[in-house]
Amino acid sequence: MLCRLSVRWLRPRPALQVRVLDPSLARAPAGGAKSSALPVWAVASVSAVGPSGAGGWYEALATSAPVQGAEDVLLFAHTASGLPWWGSILLTTVALRGAVTLPLAAYQHYILAKVENLQPEIKNIARHLNQEVAVRAQQLGWSKRVARLTYLKTMRRLVSELYVRDNCHPFKATVLVWIQLPMWIFMSIALRNFSTGAAHSEAGFSVQEQLTTGGVLWFHDLTALDSTWILPVSVGVINLLIVEIFALQKLGKSRFQMCMTYFVRAVSVLMIPIAATVPSSIVLYWLCSSFMGLSQNLLLRSPRFRQLCRIPLTKLDSDTPYKDLLAAFHSKFISRKSRTF
């Protein structure tokens, strides 16, 4: 059948304007309230620029329906739970991660497992097709370029047919990114709007005023920066840990995968100084989201959970994934360090 299929395909063919703050508030806080510890750019990214300026896109995003929806979700969680704002942020993050991103992550692993199980069949097709192309090229007098292009075109089509047959096109595995990244952005901007006062009030009190006393431990004021850098550094460390866990489970990475790993590492480190320049409410959300991401990655390694999600078994799966992870971590970081000394 492969021969008939392949022979059939072998034939060559304006600027930002702050929407709540008024000039009087910029001069002196009303009622003797404590002035914000945020830098000026955090309160208003761009000032004294017309509506058609460069900051207009951010103003449009900050007042968009998705961001307002994120604000409503946060307000609902705060009102319904009765928790302080730090607890409401954590609750909202856990709920969104558990209800939205965890099922999508399980679906991503389901698709990737089916793709992985197709690899032996794809390699077998590639081997036979390569032989058939060589025979046809000799019979028809094709040049190496024509033979190569014919092989690639036919191989792409046959692999696509396999993906359709098993309903596991790799693009489906990217759904998580297209949902998770916008949600992260909308929630971050919603919290920025709350922290700078660019949002509606709740029960007659400004959300910004509530956030000034809605923190815990060393970050009591969620509208201020974390001067200790504990939250920003924690965000960077957890993100790096997620990257390293992902890197440890990939053996024989391609050059592109290696470059992407180094790129994500650099982004994780860069997030530390960025997180040090935004309100603590946003950094708290980033920290909780990253921690949930780490927990989600570890959970999806569990054989029982994968079986519960009906994720197909692959030859790369292990019965002791956590022991293997600790052994790989020890071999890469601890043993290498001891050998250095």
Side-chain angles (χ1 to χ4, degrees):
M1 178 180 178
L2 174 63
C3 183
R4 291 196 300 268
L5 282 174
S6 57
V7 169
R8 176 164 56 98
W9 297 117
L10 287 175
R11 299 170 184 170
R13 42 166 161 179
L16 180 61
Q17 291 181 339
V18 181
R19 53 187 170 105
V20 170
L21 302 177
D22 63 34
S24 62
L25 292 178
R27 290 192 296 270
K34 181 178 67 172
S35 60
S36 174
L38 294 175
V40 175
W41 69 264
V43 178
S45 302
V46 182
S47 61
V49 188
S52 60
W57 67 270
Y58 181 84
E59 176 66 11
L61 179 61
T63 58
S64 63
V67 172
Q68 292 179 0
E71 293 174 1
D72 292 338
V73 169
L74 288 165
L75 288 173
F76 174 78
H78 179 64
T79 304
S81 66
L83 294 171
W85 267 107
W86 68 267
S88 300
I89 294 172
L90 295 184
L91 175 64
T92 304
T93 308
V94 171
L96 289 176
R97 276 285 194 168
V100 179
T101 62
L102 180 58
L104 290 176
Y107 179 71
Q108 180 187 58
H109 280 249
Y110 172 80
I111 294 296
L112 293 177
K114 296 185 74 172
V115 171
E116 179 64 29
N117 288 335
L118 280 177
Q119 295 310 306
E121 188 173 356
I122 291 175
K123 290 179 181 179
N124 185 52
I125 291 175
R127 184 174 62 254
H128 284 84
L129 182 61
N130 189 46
Q131 295 173 356
E132 294 180 12
V133 168
V135 172
R136 297 287 290 179
Q138 187 175 9
Q139 291 176 348
L140 302 177
W142 292 347
S143 65
K144 290 184 178 180
R145 180 177 178 276
V146 171
R148 181 64 178 169
L149 291 176
T150 303
Y151 169 82
L152 292 175
K153 183 178 180 180
T154 306
M155 192 64 197
R156 281 196 300 266
R157 194 159 303 187
L158 292 175
V159 170
S160 180
E161 289 177 1
L162 290 180
Y163 289 153
V164 171
R165 185 195 70 187
D166 287 7
N167 192 23
C168 62
H169 196 286
F171 183 78
K172 293 183 178 180
T174 65
V175 173
L176 174 63
V177 177
W178 300 117
I179 299 297
Q180 180 175 309
L181 183 58
M183 184 173 69
W184 184 85
I185 293 174
F186 297 147
M187 288 291 293
S188 299
I189 296 177
L191 287 169
R192 179 197 176 278
N193 288 346
F194 284 164
S195 300
T196 59
H200 50 77
S201 299
E202 177 189 11
F205 294 95
S206 168
V207 179
Q208 183 186 26
E209 293 177 0
Q210 294 179 358
L211 287 174
T212 57
T213 57
V216 69
L217 299 177
W218 68 91
F219 52 99
H220 291 285
D221 186 356
L222 291 176
T223 67
L225 310 180
D226 182 11
S227 58
T228 66
W229 281 57
I230 295 177
L231 290 178
V233 171
S234 299
V235 170
V237 169
I238 293 180
N239 286 336
L240 280 174
L241 190 56
I242 294 174
V243 175
E244 295 309 321
I245 289 176
F246 179 79
L248 288 175
Q249 70 184 11
K250 292 291 185 181
L251 300 177
K253 295 186 292 292
S254 65
R255 184 177 180 85
F256 174 76
Q257 290 174 325
M258 290 291 295
C259 292
M260 286 301 300
T261 300
Y262 283 114
F263 173 75
V264 178
R265 283 173 180 158
V267 172
S268 299
V269 174
L270 184 61
M271 283 296 294
I272 296 176
I274 293 177
T277 59
V278 298
S280 296
S281 59
I282 301 177
V283 189
L284 179 62
Y285 166 67
W286 291 354
L287 177 61
C288 184
S289 180
S290 296
F291 182 79
M292 287 297 296
L294 175 62
S295 303
Q296 178 178 289
N297 275 276
L298 294 175
L299 179 62
L300 284 167
R301 281 175 162 261
S302 168
R304 291 185 178 181
F305 186 77
R306 292 176 70 87
Q307 184 179 6
L308 179 65
C309 297
R310 298 182 179 180
I311 299 174
L313 289 173
T314 69
K315 64 178 183 179
L316 299 178
D317 289 343
S318 170
D319 294 331
T320 57
Y322 303 115
K323 289 183 180 179
D324 296 343
L325 181 61
L326 287 175
F329 184 86
H330 183 275
S331 176
K332 181 175 181 179
F333 297 104
I334 300 179
S335 297
R336 179 185 297 178
K337 184 177 181 181
S338 62
R339 286 196 300 267
T340 303
F341 290 100

